[in-house]
Amino acid sequence: MSFSAGAKAELCRDKLQKKCCAVAEACGVLLYCGSVTPEQIRIVTESADFAQRLPRLFFRAFRVDFDETQIGSKFTFLLHDRDKIAAIFSAIGYSPESSITLHVNYALLENDCCRRSFLRGVFLCGGSVTDPEKRYHLELSTNRRKVSLETHSLLLDQGFSPKETVRNGSNILYFKQSEAIEDFLAYLGAPVASMGIAEAKIEKEMKNKINRIVNCDNANTSKIVEAAQNQIAAIHRLDARGELEALPEKLKETARLRTENPESNLAELAALFDPPLTKSALNHRLRKLCELGKE
């Protein structure tokens, strides 16, 4: 199951209690579904959980049953009966005689529970959320420009700030910030999905932190190895020229310990001296060997 399907399944477990909320949710579905005309209502979904909820939702909201249900790669619900369609239009405050476009009836959304239910219906029918392991993206899509603008205003009133765009003739409201997606899913009634976004974000941050540490360690190791190789090369040149034995005892001891411990860093190498040297003193001796050993 995809992350989006899981979020919708969680929302569909919410019980249909108040009729006003059922009407508001069904209104959100109708404004974001495939086709709504006085002759036909057609709702298409890929979600099996939403397909199970939809008939119960419409019966609770409007006391109507669908005239036809088609099941294939998607679920299609159809209403042809004009009396049923007229009853639904009346319930959501839409009159084909007085308006040629569907719109959000704010009179149905006076209570916060109804606004939440409306937006739940919008997401169930026209929404999707990307797997947070890949990226952060939630969108609400409809081919009705006026409906999208009114939904945007409603979201702003509820404290959400989605971005807007148009893609292939569809009007899109979307979120790309993980915190905004978390808050929106939790508001709709999907706390598990919301927590999934938060957990994915924490996991990504931990992986990035570990990668930064590993990269830093690798870079430091490379520098240590490169410095040691340069020091040992200088010592070998001194030895090849017969100059190594003529050096002061302290430098000869430093040359011996460095060649015997090529992978040790300054702290590890300084600890091998008797008595142990400070890193500053050891660094001074190694720089002196490199200067003497220049070609």
Side-chain angles (χ1 to χ4, degrees):
M1 180 183 292
S2 68
F3 187 85
S4 188
K8 291 185 178 183
E10 184 180 0
L11 291 174
C12 287
R13 289 194 287 271
D14 185 73
K15 294 182 179 179
L16 298 169
Q17 296 178 342
K18 296 180 180 180
K19 182 176 180 179
C20 62
C21 292
V23 172
E25 183 177 326
C27 182
V29 169
L30 288 166
L31 295 181
Y32 275 75
C33 73
S35 173
V36 177
T37 69
E39 293 76 32
Q40 177 182 270
I41 292 176
R42 181 174 179 267
I43 302 171
V44 181
T45 180
E46 296 180 351
S47 170
D49 296 277
F50 181 45
Q52 292 181 355
R53 180 181 179 85
L54 195 56
R56 292 185 286 111
L57 174 65
F58 268 58
F59 189 80
R60 178 76 176 106
F62 311 122
R63 285 291 187 270
V64 300
D65 294 312
F66 286 99
D67 297 323
E68 186 180 347
T69 302
Q70 300 171 358
I71 301 176
S73 59
K74 297 182 180 181
F75 301 88
T76 303
F77 296 85
L78 297 166
L79 277 166
H80 308 294
D81 188 293
R82 284 179 172 263
D83 292 335
K84 293 180 181 179
I85 295 174
I88 291 173
F89 280 0
S90 176
I92 65 173
Y94 171 66
S95 173
E97 291 78 20
S98 60
S99 176
I100 60 174
T101 59
L102 289 170
H103 59 87
V104 176
N105 183 0
Y106 291 105
L108 299 175
L109 310 178
E110 293 182 353
N111 299 321
D112 185 66
C113 60
C114 294
R115 289 192 286 271
R116 181 183 292 108
S117 296
F118 172 81
L119 291 170
R120 183 190 300 120
V122 168
F123 179 76
L124 286 172
C125 199
S128 64
V129 56
T130 303
D131 187 341
E133 295 288 342
K134 299 177 181 177
R135 62 191 178 105
Y136 304 122
H137 185 85
L138 184 149
E139 66 177 43
L140 307 171
S141 173
T142 179
N143 58 6
R144 302 177 178 92
R145 176 63 177 163
K146 184 177 181 180
V147 168
S148 186
L149 291 173
E150 292 171 337
T151 304
H152 185 254
S153 297
L154 178 62
L155 285 166
L156 291 176
D157 289 342
Q158 297 306 110
F160 301 103
S161 302
K163 300 292 181 64
E164 299 178 88
T165 190
V166 176
R167 186 194 313 133
N168 298 326
S170 294
N171 301 279
I172 311 292
L173 301 176
Y174 66 92
F175 300 99
K176 281 191 173 296
Q177 297 77 30
S178 61
E179 293 85 356
I181 298 173
E182 289 172 40
D183 293 344
F184 185 63
L185 289 174
Y187 173 77
L188 295 183
V192 175
S194 175
M195 186 62 68
I197 301 286
E199 289 174 349
K201 181 181 178 181
I202 292 172
E203 186 175 344
K204 282 183 180 180
E205 289 175 348
M206 286 298 295
K207 286 181 179 178
N208 290 337
K209 184 177 181 179
I210 291 170
N211 286 337
R212 285 196 297 270
I213 292 172
V214 170
N215 290 337
C216 183
D217 286 346
N218 288 340
N220 289 337
T221 300
S222 297
K223 289 180 181 178
I224 291 169
V225 170
E226 183 179 358
Q229 288 175 342
N230 291 335
Q231 293 156 6
I232 292 170
I235 293 167
H236 286 166
R237 285 194 293 270
L238 286 170
D239 190 31
R241 296 201 298 257
E243 299 174 6
L244 187 60
E245 288 302 320
L247 295 177
E249 193 59 36
K250 291 180 179 180
L251 289 182
K252 284 197 292 183
E253 183 185 16
T254 301
R256 178 180 62 80
L257 288 174
R258 169 43 87 199
T259 53
E260 291 175 355
N261 302 276
E263 296 180 359
S264 297
N265 59 32
L266 278 178
E268 293 167 342
L269 193 61
L272 297 177
F273 286 80
D274 186 18
L277 292 180
T278 64
K279 289 197 294 182
S280 177
L282 176 59
N283 193 40
H284 176 74
R285 292 187 187 183
L286 290 170
R287 281 205 307 269
K288 186 64 174 179
L289 286 170
C290 287
E291 290 173 4
L292 293 172
K294 286 182 180 178
E295 294 181 2

